[in-house]
Amino acid sequence: MNKKKRYEILSLFYKKQPNPKIELIFSSDFELLLSVILSAKSTDIMVNKITGTLFQIANTPQGILQLGLDKLRYYIQSIGLYNTKSLHIINTAYLIATKYKNKVPSNRIELESLPGVGRKTANIILNVLFNKKTIAVDTHVFRVANRTGFAKGKNVIDVEKKMIKIVPSIFKKYVHFWFVLHGRYVCTARQLKCKLCLIEKLCEFDRKK
């Protein structure tokens, strides 16, 4: 895909949704961090359902630590990998409370040192909370980038590097959310809704294959 076509695609997304928002519901930096940790291998709808209850009980590092591992497991047991995520959240809460003085770190190295926080999670936190022009590549972004021909790559790191290189600075802050929403509701994994697609005429996907 050439530079002109990519710019047209991003311009169309921008025109339709100039300020896209993350669909996770949160009211503090710490709540977002926990929500993104919980979202791994799960849906935002499920995470919001869980945190809607959990955050009424505990939504600070101290609150999570007081809740304890067993009770935390109980509140998040309906989500995938809840045992592992419970441990990650307890350990992350401890580090946020003791090492970072109850503040979510604002740089990648410190973020990725937290249990349960990988590159994708760090990119989302840096983007949403600290206005960094990072591009998180999840399954939706990876699929849309490859399927449309926008940025092809064999793995998420390849796609992220390409997108950082080719996406104009004015669009970098939003491109993750545009691609996530497009992949979630239009360019889905199993049932493509090409007739509803905003960028159908610019897409390079060969439906015959």
Side-chain angles (χ1 to χ4, degrees):
M1 182 175 288
N2 60 43
K3 182 178 179 180
K4 182 177 180 294
K5 191 179 286 188
R6 290 193 186 101
Y7 193 90
E8 288 182 51
I9 286 172
L10 296 173
S11 296
L12 285 171
F13 281 133
Y14 181 79
K15 185 177 180 180
K16 181 181 179 182
Q17 202 166 13
N19 189 27
K21 302 289 186 181
I22 192 168
E23 293 191 319
L24 293 170
I25 298 171
F26 65 99
S27 59
S28 71
D29 292 1
F30 184 68
E31 284 188 5
L32 177 63
L33 178 61
L34 295 198
S35 293
V36 180
I37 290 173
L38 287 169
S39 71
K41 307 285 185 183
S42 187
T43 66
D44 288 358
I45 292 174
M46 179 59 73
V47 173
N48 289 335
K49 183 178 180 180
I50 287 171
T51 57
T53 300
L54 175 63
F55 290 161
Q56 291 182 35
I57 308 299
N59 68 340
T60 64
Q62 290 80 7
I64 291 293
L65 292 172
Q66 289 173 7
L67 186 65
L69 183 60
D70 289 339
K71 287 185 178 179
L72 178 60
R73 277 201 195 105
Y74 169 78
Y75 281 110
I76 71 168
Q77 64 183 321
S78 59
I79 205 165
L81 305 174
Y82 72 94
N83 282 314
T84 300
K85 290 175 181 178
S86 298
L87 286 169
H88 286 333
I89 288 171
I90 289 288
N91 290 327
T92 288
Y94 177 77
L95 288 173
I96 295 291
T98 59
K99 186 175 181 179
Y100 298 110
K101 299 178 180 179
N102 293 313
K103 293 184 177 180
V104 174
S106 60
N107 69 77
R108 180 183 299 282
I109 293 175
E110 290 179 333
L111 279 170
E112 291 189 20
S113 73
L114 298 172
V117 179
R119 186 174 183 86
K120 183 194 76 173
T121 297
N123 278 337
I124 292 172
I125 298 299
L126 291 170
N127 182 292
V128 176
L129 297 183
F130 303 107
N131 293 311
K132 303 294 184 181
K133 293 180 179 180
T134 53
I135 301 175
V137 178
D138 64 1
T139 55
H140 295 300
V141 177
F142 183 78
R143 180 175 65 256
V144 172
N146 273 286
R147 183 181 280 169
T148 61
F150 187 94
K152 292 186 177 183
K154 293 182 179 179
N155 54 59
V156 293
I157 295 296
D158 283 347
V159 172
E160 181 187 338
K161 287 180 178 178
K162 285 185 179 180
M163 290 186 74
I164 287 292
K165 183 178 180 180
I166 64 180
V167 173
S169 181
I170 58 171
F171 297 127
K172 277 191 171 75
K173 180 82 168 61
Y174 312 109
V175 67
H176 163 78
F177 302 105
W178 289 329
F179 276 42
V180 165
L181 294 172
H182 193 65
R184 188 173 288 165
Y185 300 112
V186 180
C187 195
T188 58
R190 295 182 180 180
Q191 188 176 4
L192 284 73
K193 300 174 184 176
C194 296
K195 291 183 179 180
L196 302 177
C197 181
L198 182 70
I199 61 170
E200 181 186 12
K201 294 180 180 179
L202 299 165
C203 176
E204 295 184 354
F205 178 59
D206 187 353
R207 275 166 284 181
K208 292 179 181 179
K209 293 182 180 180

